[in-house]
Amino acid sequence: SKTTASVSETLTKDSFTIKLDSEPESNVVINLSDNDTGEATISVNTLTFSSSNWSAAQTVTVTGVDDDFADGSQTVLITISVDNSSDATYAALDNQTVTVTNTDAGDSLGFTITETNSSTSVTESGGTDNLSIVLTSEPLANVVLSITSTDTGEATVSPSSLTFSSDNWSTAQEVTLTAVEDNVFDGIRWSSVTVSVSSTVDASY
């Protein structure tokens, strides 16, 4: 009934119908295939038409699939073909396709840093504090974050890098900041910790 459909990662649905244009001499089996079930799924994989129901439209429902990638709108192709076991006249027909657009649910690219009690402070008497870091969306490949202190004479960080994958991207990893005793009466000192993407083949990250 149509060649395009629209769904979204919020699991919205769309549908189209299929019927034959003429009565077949024997059963006609229609096969449906989805080239990316990670973006959209179809309600049926086969439809059968006979001499008694050939003109009755049968419905195929398409449902959007929610993923954790910040990948924007994605296109899925549904191929409709006549099975070789069908009525010979119908079996010779070319395939048809329905193009489905799956709209992203709003996953964002980035990483979130959370400070303990909303602040970070250490003292020279061996004090430590922590930062928690997590990605905001699933990466297509491992993402390595580099963590550096702008003044290692005042504070050091451990570890100096974190690796996030498709398995652990949503699990927060901790970085420990440790004060350095410098034996200088210099009062309160301010320094920064920089977190940056140091390695990944995921072009978006």
Side-chain angles (χ1 to χ4, degrees), residues 23-98:
E23 182 179 347
E25 294 183 1
S26 60
N27 284 359
V28 174
V29 177
I30 302 292
N31 295 322
L32 298 99
S33 62
D34 178 343
N35 77 331
D36 191 350
T37 56
E39 292 290 342
T41 59
I42 51 179
S43 57
V44 294
N45 296 115
T46 61
L47 298 172
T48 301
F49 293 91
S50 65
S51 58
S52 60
N53 75 342
W54 65 272
S55 61
Q58 298 191 48
T59 300
V60 179
T61 301
V62 185
T63 304
V65 174
D66 186 17
D67 60 31
D68 294 311
F69 300 108
D71 52 2
S73 296
Q74 295 291 305
T75 299
V76 179
L77 290 180
I78 297 172
T79 301
I80 299 105
S81 60
V82 181
D83 193 87
N84 291 332
S85 65
S86 302
D87 176 288
T89 304
Y90 271 95
L93 293 178
D94 292 333
N95 296 347
Q96 296 190 44
T97 58
V98 173

Side-chain angles (χ1 to χ4, degrees), residues 150-198:
T150 59
D151 188 350
T152 55
E154 293 292 343
T156 60
V157 295
S158 179
S160 59
S161 68
L162 299 174
T163 300
F164 291 92
S165 67
S166 58
D167 295 324
N168 73 345
W169 67 271
S170 61
T171 301
Q173 298 188 49
E174 285 199 345
V175 176
T176 300
L177 286 72
T178 303
V180 175
E181 175 64 71
D182 57 14
N183 297 312
V184 177
F185 185 73
D186 51 4
I188 295 175
R189 306 292 292 176
W190 297 88
S191 60
S192 299
V193 173
T194 300
V195 180
S196 59
V197 177
S198 63

